Amino acid sequence: MRVTWAVVGGVALAIALSACRATEEKPDIPRLLAQLRGPDPQASGQARLKLLQIGEPAAPALAEMLRSGGPGDRIAAANTLWGMGPRGRAAVPDLAAALGGPDPELRTAAAMALEAMGATAAAAVPALTRAISDRDQRVRQAAVKALGSIGPPAAAALPALVRVLHRGSWPEAEEAVRRIRGLAPGAVIELGPAEPGEP
């Protein structure tokens, strides 16, 4: 009986060590990024899923892709960071910088990624506030939703949100104001008087 337990114990130890070695292997993030950039949609999709599973350790490489990739690469990086949510917070500065770029699709993708990060994207509030006035409606909508998702840490955006609400109804901006002020959904919001010179 002792021999049997010794054998079972040895096998269990070998399996445990093997599993430890497998989990200690670092994922090949550069290879996954190359596949993400590649022309094969299936391989690109699988790479995105693996990067999402890796999470936070992949965010700096995706941030670099945002800085230096081609137009399609940058959008793929922003979309992957969107899927990561708060685990992609290392890329917040680069997503904020992308909001000032020339490509409206990238600006929209960047704002959506920041929305998914919630309060961890608070450093992007100035860039998102500027994006409220973007010439592209999709960017404006995504920026307002991101500010609402950030919540109270986006308090610096309240004056800009109130200004646009004085100009007319915008349900997403109203909801953003509620979230930033910590009000219940649908609560009445007080805008106060319009600033001098405001339409």
Side-chain angles (χ1 to χ4, degrees), residues 3-182:
V3 175
T4 306
W5 282 115
V7 171
V8 170
V11 170
L13 180 61
I15 291 170
L17 288 173
S18 173
C20 284
R21 280 191 213 106
T23 56
E24 286 173 10
E25 282 182 30
K26 289 191 176 179
D28 190 351
I29 293 173
R31 181 181 59 79
L32 291 171
L33 289 178
Q35 289 174 346
L36 183 65
R37 290 175 150 140
D40 180 354
Q42 185 174 357
S44 179
Q46 289 173 350
R48 178 176 281 115
L49 287 174
K50 287 178 184 170
L51 288 164
L52 291 175
Q53 289 170 350
I54 294 166
E56 202 164 338
L62 288 163
E64 173 58 33
M65 196 167 154
L66 267 173
R67 285 191 298 273
S68 60
D73 298 340
R74 299 180 79 201
I75 291 167
N79 288 336
T80 304
L81 288 161
W82 169 78
M84 282 187 185
R87 295 176 304 144
R89 65 183 165 269
V92 166
D94 297 290
L95 289 165
L99 289 170
D103 181 355
E105 191 174 347
L106 176 60
R107 295 198 306 274
T108 303
M112 289 174 66
L114 291 165
E115 177 189 1
M117 292 178 189
T120 61
V125 167
L128 287 165
T129 304
R130 288 189 294 276
I132 294 172
S133 305
D134 196 278
R135 59 191 173 275
D136 190 288
Q137 182 181 357
R138 296 169 304 164
V139 178
R140 293 194 300 270
Q141 289 282 83
V144 165
K145 288 180 177 181
L147 288 166
S149 177
I150 291 169
L158 281 172
L161 288 165
V162 168
R163 274 195 299 277
V164 297
L165 287 173
H166 273 298
R167 288 187 223 127
S169 175
W170 188 356
E172 290 83 2
E174 291 171 10
E175 190 54 33
V177 169
R178 286 186 193 98
R179 287 175 157 216
I180 292 168
R181 289 182 177 167

